[in-house]
Amino acid sequence: MAVNDHPSGTGGGESTTTVIVAAVANLGIALAKAVAGVISGSSAMLSEAAHSVADTVTEVLLLTSLKRGARPADEDHPLGHGPERYIWALLAAVATFVGGAVFSIYDGVHTLARGEELGDPLLSYLVLAVAFLLEGYSLRTGVKQARGEAARARVPFGRYLRRTPDTAVKAVVMEDSAALVGLVLAAGGLLGGQLTGSGVWDGAASLCIGALLLHVAWVLGRSNAEFLIGRALPRPARERIRAELLAIEPIDAVLELTTLVQGPREALVAAKVDFRDIATAAQVERASEQAERRLRELFPMVRRVYLDPTPGGTAATPDPPPPADTPSSGRSSGG
């Protein structure tokens, strides 16, 4: 990443709009797919219906994460509620796994083992076409926001999507992309069954949809787990922060630097710094205020800066070894 490539974003409203658009689209698509799946007897269509239901539940959980994570700090939660959004986003990834992947794999195995009688696929094709348009619009909304934030952070879109702490937008982009691929797989299963009269194609498509959802659930779950455990700012950002602290006049060394991402637009910086011995208390206070102001200007997502004055010699110098002429050395002190 570039020096200030950790996205700062502009606010939670844009993410909320993106998630709402995806939720409304998926709810309508889920109902249409379920009806088409029952009429056509296609396991791939039923798998896609389960996929859309799982996506709808995911969006509801993501909306919950956005609302609860945006609550301000209080006496019981002095650092705010930002990390809570990753708990709900992790539950959303589990919903994708349980509600979509497990059902799709089960239905695909059942179809391959028992076979199925395919009905008229015309309604399914129409539903898939409409769903493709709606999912495409939802994906466009998510990608537009992600590209805008990547441009503001001055990083490539792909790198932003991999590293962004705004996991709600990441989830929408990944799930809508998976949905479009799933629609193509479902159409392929319908077409293969229509041309050959065999339900194997439909079962195989259902298995592929399940595998696709497993991958999405794994990626999103791992991403949210990393932020729950605690992820630092990217290395280039940490190096820039260290350099900015060293550029402040009374600071002689940065002995230890800790950064922590607490939310999509919230990070903490804490450092043990060695001030010059001749620095007065007033100079230390001014330097601390200057450090906070400069870091917050450079990195808008940095909300808290804590500096701990620490003597450099005390922190860095290990305990000296015992003298050579002590009894512990194994020699006598006399000649």
Side-chain angles (χ1 to χ4, degrees):
M1 285 190 171
V3 172
N4 60 345
D5 60 355
H6 217 290
S8 59
T10 57
E14 199 173 1
S15 297
T16 301
T17 301
T18 299
V19 174
I20 289 176
V21 169
V24 172
N26 281 314
L27 181 59
I29 291 170
L31 294 174
K33 287 177 180 177
V35 172
V38 171
I39 293 176
S40 65
S42 168
S43 65
M45 283 301 298
L46 292 176
S47 296
E48 273 299 298
H51 181 177
S52 295
V53 169
D55 284 353
T56 303
V57 174
T58 295
E59 261 80 58
V60 172
L61 292 172
L62 291 177
L63 283 173
T64 303
S65 78
L66 291 173
K67 296 299 182 183
R68 295 188 64 83
R71 291 178 297 165
D74 53 39
E75 185 176 355
D76 293 328
H77 304 88
L79 297 182
H81 297 78
E84 185 173 351
R85 73 173 59 218
Y86 298 121
I87 297 175
W88 292 95
L90 182 61
L91 292 176
V94 173
T96 298
F97 170 76
V98 175
V102 172
F103 178 85
S104 298
I105 292 174
Y106 167 79
D107 202 41
V109 171
H110 182 270
T111 299
L112 291 176
R114 300 288 185 87
E116 65 180 4
E117 295 182 4
L118 297 177
D120 187 1
L122 178 60
L123 179 60
S124 295
Y125 284 130
L126 292 176
V127 169
L128 289 175
V130 173
F132 197 91
L133 294 176
L134 292 176
E135 293 284 8
Y137 177 77
S138 177
L139 177 62
R140 177 180 175 274
T141 303
V143 169
K144 182 179 179 180
Q145 178 185 347
R147 287 193 180 279
E149 293 187 359
R152 286 189 289 270
R154 289 180 286 181
V155 292
F157 173 73
R159 185 182 300 177
Y160 169 83
L161 204 59
R162 288 194 304 271
R163 298 288 298 179
T164 177
D166 193 346
T167 53
V169 174
K170 181 175 183 175
V172 169
V173 172
M174 288 197 64
E175 288 173 355
D176 286 344
S177 299
L180 292 177
V181 175
L183 292 172
V184 173
L185 291 172
L190 285 171
L191 181 60
Q194 187 179 6
L195 294 177
T196 63
S198 171
V200 172
W201 291 89
D202 205 46
S206 187
L207 286 176
C208 290
I209 293 170
L212 179 65
L213 291 177
L214 276 178
H215 174 71
V216 171
W218 164 253
V219 172
L220 293 178
R222 182 180 60 180
S223 177
N224 286 287
E226 286 180 357
F227 286 110
L228 282 173
I229 294 169
R231 180 193 280 182
L233 290 171
R235 182 179 298 275
R238 300 197 302 268
E239 292 175 353
R240 178 66 183 275
I241 289 172
R242 185 181 295 272
E244 289 296 328
L245 291 176
L246 290 173
I248 297 174
E249 182 59 30
I251 296 179
D252 200 32
V254 178
L255 306 176
E256 182 180 324
L257 177 64
T258 301
T259 64
L260 179 65
V261 176
Q262 297 180 289
R265 296 161 188 88
E266 189 172 353
L268 176 148
V269 174
K272 288 182 177 292
V273 296
D274 179 20
F275 289 92
R276 293 176 183 172
D277 294 339
I278 60 173
T280 65
Q283 288 176 324
V284 171
E285 290 175 352
R286 284 197 299 270
S288 299
E289 290 296 323
Q290 183 182 357
E292 181 173 3
R293 184 173 61 254
R294 290 177 65 169
L295 293 182
R296 295 183 69 169
E297 288 175 355
L298 284 172
F299 305 93
M301 73 180 297
V302 171
R303 301 292 181 86
R304 300 173 181 87
V305 178
Y306 300 109
L307 298 185
D308 179 12
T310 306
T314 302
T317 305
D319 293 332
D325 58 352
T326 60
S328 62
S329 66
R331 305 183 215 166
S332 67
S333 58

